[in-house]
Amino acid sequence: MESSSTWKTLVNGIIKENPTLVLLLGTCPTLAMTVNVRDALGMAVATLITLVLTNVIIAALRKVIPEKVRLPSYIVVIAGTVTIVELLCKAYAYDIYKALGIYLPLITVNCIILARAEMFANKNTVVRSAADGLGMGLGFVLALFLISSIREIMARGTWLGFNVNFTGGFLTPATIFSMPPGAFFVFGVVVAVVNKLSKGRVLKNKKEMGCGGCPSAENCAGCKEAKAS
């Protein structure tokens, strides 16, 4: 029973509750780091490692962390984990470290990580929390890979540095896809396609989750009004 529940938790993060394409979390790194596939994968993998480690640590300490300081405690754990990932990246993947720049330490404030810590890790076992972090991380990898592939092909006519031409020269590279407007456009199209293919079920799932998964729900005026009504 436990293994079945763990497997379901893992798969949910990849497809049914994809953090970027369904829950619309982590949009800042999604828009900023998807100009090319290599940088996008570097950001996604770094986030995945941080997610898994953070979930495991918080799940292990969930009964020790005082309720009143849980959010500051989560931030400390996340910041420490990101520092470890950053140092490892600097030591063993320096080119990726340079390409990610300031966005690597900014993983600390990625809302996916804080949301999973608050919504899942502090309520579940270490094993299930690790599965949740892995599933959400893989979902983030999938989203960034898909969006960055489209943007790189459309903007440069390349994919992972290789020249590609699927149109026989009919389409020429459009630099707008390497700019913020192109990022917003591709992101919106991909989200729309996902919802179309799922016949709107992902939107329904998102609504069913409510505000409970948001780390800022306690301080949100809109959430308080909804509860009062």
Side-chain angles (χ1 to χ4, degrees), residues 142-164:
L142 176 64
L144 263 64
F145 176 75
L146 179 60
I147 294 172
S148 63
S149 294
I150 297 173
R151 291 187 65 193
E152 182 176 347
I153 291 172
M154 297 300 293
R156 305 181 181 182
T158 63
W159 186 76
L160 281 172
F162 297 99
N163 289 326
V164 293

Side-chain angles (χ1 to χ4, degrees), residues 147-198:
I147 294 172
S148 63
S149 294
I150 297 173
R151 291 187 65 193
E152 182 176 347
I153 291 172
M154 297 300 293
R156 305 181 181 182
T158 63
W159 186 76
L160 281 172
F162 297 99
N163 289 326
V164 293
N165 192 343
F166 300 125
T167 63
F170 178 73
L171 292 177
T172 57
T175 56
I176 191 172
F177 285 98
S178 64
M179 301 168 65
F184 277 101
F185 176 77
V186 174
F187 178 65
V189 169
V190 172
V191 171
V193 170
V194 168
N195 282 287
K196 178 65 175 179
L197 293 177
S198 67

Side-chain angles (χ1 to χ4, degrees), residues 40-140:
L41 288 179
M43 169 59 69
V45 172
T47 304
L48 184 153
I49 296 172
T50 303
L51 260 170
V52 174
L53 293 178
T54 300
N55 270 17
V56 168
I57 294 171
I58 291 175
L61 299 176
R62 71 186 190 280
K63 296 182 180 179
V64 179
I65 299 175
E67 181 69 17
K68 293 182 179 180
V69 295
R70 70 183 191 283
L71 290 182
S73 299
Y74 297 164
I75 294 295
V76 171
V77 171
I78 295 169
T81 306
V82 170
T83 300
I84 294 172
V85 173
E86 183 179 6
L87 291 175
L88 289 174
C89 192
K90 185 176 182 180
Y92 299 105
Y94 190 69
D95 290 341
I96 297 295
Y97 171 79
K98 287 178 62 179
L100 297 182
I102 189 61
Y103 290 101
L104 185 55
L106 282 177
I107 293 175
T108 303
V109 293
N110 190 318
C111 53
I112 299 175
I113 301 173
L114 184 57
R116 299 321 294 176
E118 172 69 4
M119 181 179 180
F120 199 93
N122 76 329
K123 301 180 180 70
N124 291 276
T125 64
V126 171
V127 174
R128 287 200 66 197
S129 297
D132 178 76
L134 181 60
M136 287 287 167
L138 290 175
F140 190 61

